[in-house]
Amino acid sequence: MASPDPDSLLSQETRERFGKTISAWIERAGWGHDTPLRWGKAAGFSSLADSTFNRLQRGKIAQPYPMTFLQFGLMNDRLARKDYGLEPDDPLLPRVARQRPIEHDDGRLWTATDFFSHFIGELEAPAWAREQPLPSLEQAVAASAEAVTLFKAAAETAGLTLPQAWESLAAVAATAPGDVMPPLGTEELDVLRMVLSGWHTWTPEQLGQLLDMDGGLRPLILLRYWKDTKDVAH
């Protein structure tokens, strides 16, 4: 990638682009802006203050301290090594384990230097965090229909009524291991319930927000995972 104009290195646009990347990163794992700090405190390593993370998300810090990028690099490295530093029964562990490290498109891990390079505009966002065209209305309708078909077929196979099937699915969504099933937020689950009930069809905007880092649709991943669990296979 060509070096940017020096006059634009610390522009508001590049700061906001960095904010969008780290926002997309934490949202795909169901993290809040305070999760890095909570994890760092629980595991005993230096991590970003929640106020700092939030301001970076909104492009409100023009010149972060060098330690900020070192903390991003440390957190990213721990994620790559699955070095969570948490007790097995720590309630924070499933949420931390859901997250994946930020990597270059060729699989190399982002370091502190890469986070800094992205902040000043020298390094592009990873492919999954770049602006993507919205799915079409036809794609949204098709995805909604596929979800309903999967849900009803699994419920019928397991001998569950649709309300029973939803209770089972919601339970799995709440307890599925974070490293095998990308999370759905409370609002996303509410919309999924309406889709599965036939009361709603995902909009293109909603569908775009449901894609994971690999381009998979998180509700469909949940439905397939649920279908294979003992909860629905009894």
Side-chain angles (χ1 to χ4, degrees):
M1 177 179 177
S3 296
D5 183 335
D7 291 338
S8 70
L9 284 178
L10 296 179
S11 70
Q12 183 64 30
E13 182 180 355
T14 58
R15 295 201 298 269
E16 290 178 356
R17 176 63 268 181
F18 182 85
K20 288 179 180 178
T21 296
I22 62 173
S23 293
W25 187 35
I26 64 171
E27 287 166 5
R28 294 298 167 96
W31 284 21
H33 64 261
D34 63 338
T35 303
L37 177 63
R38 292 172 56 205
W39 177 26
K41 284 185 174 180
F45 68 90
S46 176
S47 191
L48 291 92
D50 53 351
S51 58
T52 299
F53 202 104
N54 182 258
R55 291 175 65 207
L56 285 169
Q57 285 181 274
R58 295 181 291 120
K60 297 299 184 181
I61 302 181
Q63 298 184 37
Y65 292 114
M67 179 57 70
T68 297
F69 300 107
L70 293 174
Q71 290 169 327
F72 270 115
L74 173 61
M75 181 168 57
N76 209 42
D77 178 69
R78 291 184 75 112
L79 288 171
R81 293 185 290 109
K82 300 186 185 300
D83 179 15
Y84 305 132
L86 301 171
E87 294 297 326
D89 60 349
D90 192 309
L92 191 60
L93 180 59
R95 178 168 293 187
V96 172
R98 288 174 183 147
Q99 188 58 277
R100 289 168 53 182
I102 298 183
E103 300 174 335
H104 293 273
D105 292 343
D106 63 6
R108 289 178 296 115
L109 189 69
W110 271 30
T111 65
T113 302
D114 294 311
F115 281 96
F116 175 72
S117 295
H118 182 41
F119 180 80
I120 64 174
E122 287 187 342
L123 178 66
E124 276 193 294
W128 52 263
R130 296 172 201 159
E131 295 291 339
Q132 302 291 334
L134 278 179
S136 66
L137 178 59
E138 291 76 11
Q139 288 173 316
V141 170
S144 301
E146 183 178 0
V148 171
T149 298
L150 279 170
F151 178 64
K152 290 184 175 179
E156 183 177 355
T157 298
L160 299 174
T161 65
L162 295 185
Q164 289 173 330
W166 171 255
E167 289 183 6
S168 174
L169 179 63
V172 168
T175 60
D179 57 347
V180 299
M181 217 297 295
L184 291 169
T186 301
E187 184 176 341
E188 292 172 331
L189 282 170
D190 288 343
V191 174
L192 175 60
R193 185 172 189 173
M194 290 192 294
V195 168
L196 298 180
S197 300
W199 299 337
H200 180 72
T201 296
W202 281 310
T203 66
E205 291 78 11
Q206 289 171 332
L207 194 67
Q209 291 297 317
L210 291 170
L211 297 174
D212 67 10
M213 287 183 175
D214 299 315
L217 194 61
R218 287 181 286 128
L220 296 184
I221 295 171
L222 169 62
L223 283 162
R224 294 184 183 110
Y225 178 80
W226 166 70
K227 183 176 70 69
D228 294 332
T229 65
K230 62 179 181 299
D231 298 280
V232 74
H234 70 292

